[in-house]
Amino acid sequence: MTRCVIYCRVSTDAQERDGTSLETQERACVEFATANGWAMTATHKDTASGFTLERAGLTSIRSLAASGLADVVLSYALDRLSRKQTHVAILVEEMEQRGVALAFVTEKFEDTATGQLLRSVKAFAAEFEREKIAERTMRGKAERARSGRLPQGTGAGCYGYTYQQATGRRELEPFQATVVRRIFERYTETRSFSAVSRELNEAAIPALAGGRWYPLTIRRVLTNETYTGRTVYRRTKRVSSPAANGRRRSEVIERPLDEHIVVPGASPPIIDAAMWRRVQTILHDPERTRRQGTHRHYVLGGRARCGICSGAMVGQTLKSKGREYSYYRCRHSYDTNTGRECSGRYVRADALEAGAWAEVRQLLASPEVVLRELTRSADSDTDPEEAGRLDAQLKSLKKREARLVRLFGYGEVNEDVVETELADIRRQQEAITERLKPLRPLDASAYGAMDEAALHSACTTVGAWLDRAGERDREQVLEALQVSVTATQERATVAGVLPLDDSQLPKPRVGLSPLNEHRHDDVDVVFAAYRTKYALARRAARLQR
């Protein structure tokens, strides 16, 4: 019997609480599925915008389709599935690739060129309607701001004020307003975010959400012009851009001045203009900014943890008699704003970095480690049937990737959508590849060309390259091995994971200082062969010092 999964969506919380829209959609879908003799296996609902594919219910539907647990995905109408034409194209391609049909209660599209055209036009109309709604909403917010009312009166709010929904404006919260004045005054005296936050925490004064104060929170208060009585709408905006790992990253940037809208009378002043100018002068003092900087790059930053409390260790540069000394130190040993204490002491940065690198070099230049992992891997259990199923999933993902690229070439999808979907495909491919590694039987003949002597020679060459590697090359190696360091003044433990395929170890870059005995292409070839040997290590190896 045909297995049917139902998907329903509304855009607002009000519709969800009312229940009518979701219930109506579900009831119509159930009746439609029953009339067609389909077996309903699951129903998923979302209360979210149709402009994004990042919806919990839709993600569950796509997972069911990918797992082969659905034959038909049924929704009330096309715009319930998505309001964006490019997203509809992606979903259609994805479902067709997996042999899953898309069906709608109120619409029917024949599997012909005309049907596909009608579906595309309908999706475009849904997207166009969504764009009109967004434009009307933004225009309404701008007019509200110009009339002296805050466009957005929800959320945690602004410390020092309470929001009055009836007027659309803020009113002073007496106690919090006093704390804001104290923050500005104490900063002009201490010139330290940490000192001000520590005083507030010691006085048991809660922050906006009821928790502790942190230096970053103090800085945000000191740079918030609202406290002078000047409220600006559309001062900033959030933009996204591609990240190195294939995902999207976002950041908040300042809008041009001509886009700012001042909201008159929205927030009563807590501090005067003179205090504001005094604090901003301190914050932007060039001498103060210069003192904060350090030219020392800490290679183990983000990788080092305290051996006593497991807290993050950060790099610090100290000066004594005109000479600089670099250390790693547990944050909890000096930063009382964390709410934790630690007795950890300074660890010399040069000694810790040299020791960690020596362990990494020993691993990469030790053929016995590879041979030991190879021997252990030979005993791994294999499952040809499960491996075949996972191989089929990888092929399916490869086809999905090709279709997505083809759609992009035709101009049917934009770059943002392609990057998001490709990142999802890569995550699935990586997960499946990891599951495949212990399932594949070893083919000894494929690796028989390199004997133990050749492996020793390769390790010697790699070790020589590692000795000459620059700072950037070393950081790539540490990242590839997922190196972490747990340290105290007395000892350190280095942990990492052997790379399991031939793409994880960094490739030597052209321009590296030439080795005495090997050319760059020689090292390249050796690295390729050496990575192939590492591909045999099916289990993660722990590096201990």
Side-chain angles (χ1 to χ4, degrees):
M1 181 176 287
T2 301
R3 298 165 299 174
C4 171
V5 294
I6 294 173
Y7 177 72
C8 308
R9 182 187 67 82
V10 293
S11 298
T12 65
D13 290 334
Q15 288 177 308
E16 181 189 31
R17 288 192 298 270
D18 179 65
T20 305
S21 182
L22 283 175
E23 291 177 359
T24 300
Q25 291 179 44
E26 184 177 5
R27 183 163 52 250
C29 288
V30 169
E31 292 174 355
F32 187 88
T34 302
N36 283 275
W38 297 339
M40 291 162 285
T41 60
T43 298
H44 291 279
K45 306 172 186 178
D46 277 320
T47 302
S49 168
F51 189 65
T52 175
L53 290 176
E54 299 299 322
R55 291 173 253 153
L58 183 60
T59 299
S60 298
I61 291 290
R62 296 171 75 181
S63 296
L64 289 172
S67 302
L69 300 177
D71 300 313
V72 176
V73 172
L74 175 62
S75 193
Y76 184 74
L78 182 62
D79 63 0
R80 299 300 87 196
L81 196 65
S82 178
R83 280 188 174 273
K84 192 169 180 64
Q85 183 181 13
T86 52
H87 289 175
V88 171
I90 289 172
L91 293 172
V92 169
E93 285 283 336
E94 184 178 302
M95 295 303 168
E96 286 181 352
Q97 173 189 340
R98 291 164 176 170
V100 178
L102 282 175
F104 306 97
V105 174
T106 62
E107 299 155 315
K108 185 177 181 180
F109 303 110
E110 300 295 337
D111 190 17
T112 63
T114 302
Q116 293 177 10
L117 175 62
L118 290 174
R119 180 170 54 204
S120 179
V121 170
K122 182 69 176 179
F124 176 77
E127 181 179 347
F128 181 67
E129 179 61 26
R130 194 271 174 196
E131 293 294 338
K132 288 197 299 182
I133 293 172
E135 193 275 334
R136 287 196 298 267
T137 301
M138 294 301 296
R139 189 170 63 247
K141 288 182 176 181
E143 290 304 316
R144 181 181 172 91
R146 293 187 180 97
S147 70
R149 293 176 297 163
L150 292 171
Q152 296 153 318
T154 60
C158 181
Y159 190 86
Y161 300 100
T162 57
Y163 175 72
Q164 302 300 313
Q165 190 169 6
T167 62
R169 299 184 178 187
R170 297 185 178 117
E171 289 185 0
L172 289 179
E173 203 290 323
F175 176 76
Q176 292 185 1
T178 301
V179 175
V180 170
R181 295 188 191 97
R182 175 176 174 175
I183 290 173
F184 275 83
E185 291 168 359
R186 289 296 295 148
Y187 181 73
T188 60
E189 297 166 0
T190 65
R191 303 196 175 199
S192 168
F193 303 138
S194 294
V196 177
S197 61
R198 182 169 57 252
E199 289 181 7
L200 294 177
N201 290 328
E202 290 174 351
I205 298 175
L208 180 61
R212 298 176 60 84
W213 290 90
Y214 295 93
L216 180 59
T217 316
I218 299 299
R219 187 184 188 284
R220 287 172 178 166
V221 170
L222 296 171
T223 55
N224 189 349
E225 194 180 8
T226 300
Y227 295 121
T228 66
R230 186 173 187 269
T231 305
V232 178
Y233 172 60
R234 297 181 66 183
R235 184 193 298 272
T236 61
K237 65 179 178 180
R238 183 172 293 277
V239 297
S240 62
S241 58
N245 58 6
R247 300 181 181 180
R248 306 290 297 176
R249 62 180 179 87
S250 64
E251 60 179 334
V252 177
I253 64 171
E254 189 84 11
R255 289 177 181 268
L257 288 175
D258 58 359
E259 295 184 14
H260 293 187
I261 300 176
V262 177
V263 189
S267 309
I270 294 179
I271 63 168
D272 57 32
M275 174 62 76
W276 170 260
R277 288 194 298 270
R278 185 178 177 187
V279 168
Q280 303 314 304
T281 299
I282 297 173
L283 289 173
H284 298 95
D285 178 14
E287 179 63 21
R288 176 180 175 276
T289 304
R290 185 189 67 78
R291 288 197 305 268
Q292 290 178 338
T294 177
H295 300 292
R296 174 58 153 94
H297 177 65
Y298 291 89
V299 179
L300 297 179
R303 303 183 184 280
R305 292 205 163 269
C306 175
I308 297 176
C309 72
S310 298
M313 300 185 76
V314 296
Q316 292 187 345
T317 301
L318 305 180
K319 286 186 177 181
S320 177
K321 298 180 180 180
R323 185 177 178 183
E324 291 187 348
Y325 298 89
S326 300
Y327 300 90
Y328 286 92
R329 190 182 183 191
C330 176
R331 279 195 61 195
H332 302 311
S333 66
Y334 68 91
D335 189 355
T336 58
N337 292 292
T338 64
R340 296 169 57 184
E341 296 183 359
C342 179
S343 59
R345 303 166 66 185
Y346 289 103
V347 178
R348 288 288 298 266
D350 52 357
L352 184 60
E353 290 169 356
W357 182 251
E359 291 300 318
V360 170
R361 186 202 180 284
Q362 181 180 358
L363 170 78
L364 293 180
S366 300
E368 61 272 12
V369 175
V370 182
L371 293 174
R372 182 173 66 248
E373 290 300 314
L374 174 58
T375 303
R376 290 166 55 187
S377 300
D379 299 329
S380 299
D381 296 331
T382 61
D383 188 344
E385 184 176 342
E386 177 68 7
R389 190 180 68 82
L390 294 175
D391 274 330
Q393 290 185 16
L394 282 177
K395 291 179 181 178
S396 178
L397 287 171
K398 193 68 177 176
K399 291 180 181 179
R400 176 182 165 192
E401 183 179 15
R403 288 172 178 167
L404 187 64
V405 172
R406 187 166 63 251
L407 281 172
F408 178 70
Y410 292 154
E412 294 292 332
V413 292
N414 61 35
E415 185 177 354
D416 288 349
V417 173
V418 171
E419 289 177 349
T420 300
E421 289 300 307
L422 285 179
D424 180 61
I425 290 173
R426 292 190 191 102
R427 285 194 294 271
Q428 293 186 52
Q429 288 173 331
E430 290 172 1
I432 293 173
T433 301
E434 286 299 316
R435 292 169 59 189
L436 267 172
K437 286 170 183 174
L439 299 176
R440 291 188 187 280
L442 289 175
D443 182 6
S445 62
Y447 306 101
M450 181 179 287
D451 57 20
E452 189 170 343
L455 182 58
H456 275 274
S457 175
C459 289
T460 301
T461 303
V462 171
W465 180 83
L466 292 172
D467 288 339
R468 292 296 190 91
E471 184 177 279
R472 180 180 171 187
D473 298 291
R474 291 193 175 197
E475 288 189 323
Q476 286 182 316
V477 172
L478 295 177
E479 180 65 28
L481 294 178
Q482 302 176 37
V483 168
S484 63
V485 180
T486 303
T488 64
Q489 276 197 334
E490 292 73 31
R491 61 170 299 175
T493 300
V494 181
V497 181
L498 282 176
L500 297 177
D501 61 60
D502 62 0
S503 65
Q504 289 178 273
L505 275 172
K507 182 178 180 181
R509 294 176 290 110
V510 175
L512 191 69
S513 300
L515 302 176
N516 294 332
E517 303 178 38
H518 304 282
R519 301 191 315 273
H520 286 300
D521 11 348
D522 293 332
V523 178
D524 247 6
V525 172
V526 172
F527 254 95
Y530 197 55
R531 287 196 298 261
T532 301
K533 279 296 181 184
Y534 269 115
L536 298 173
R538 310 232 180 244
R539 302 174 184 173
R542 303 297 293 179
L543 324 179
Q544 297 293 331
R545 181 174 187 264

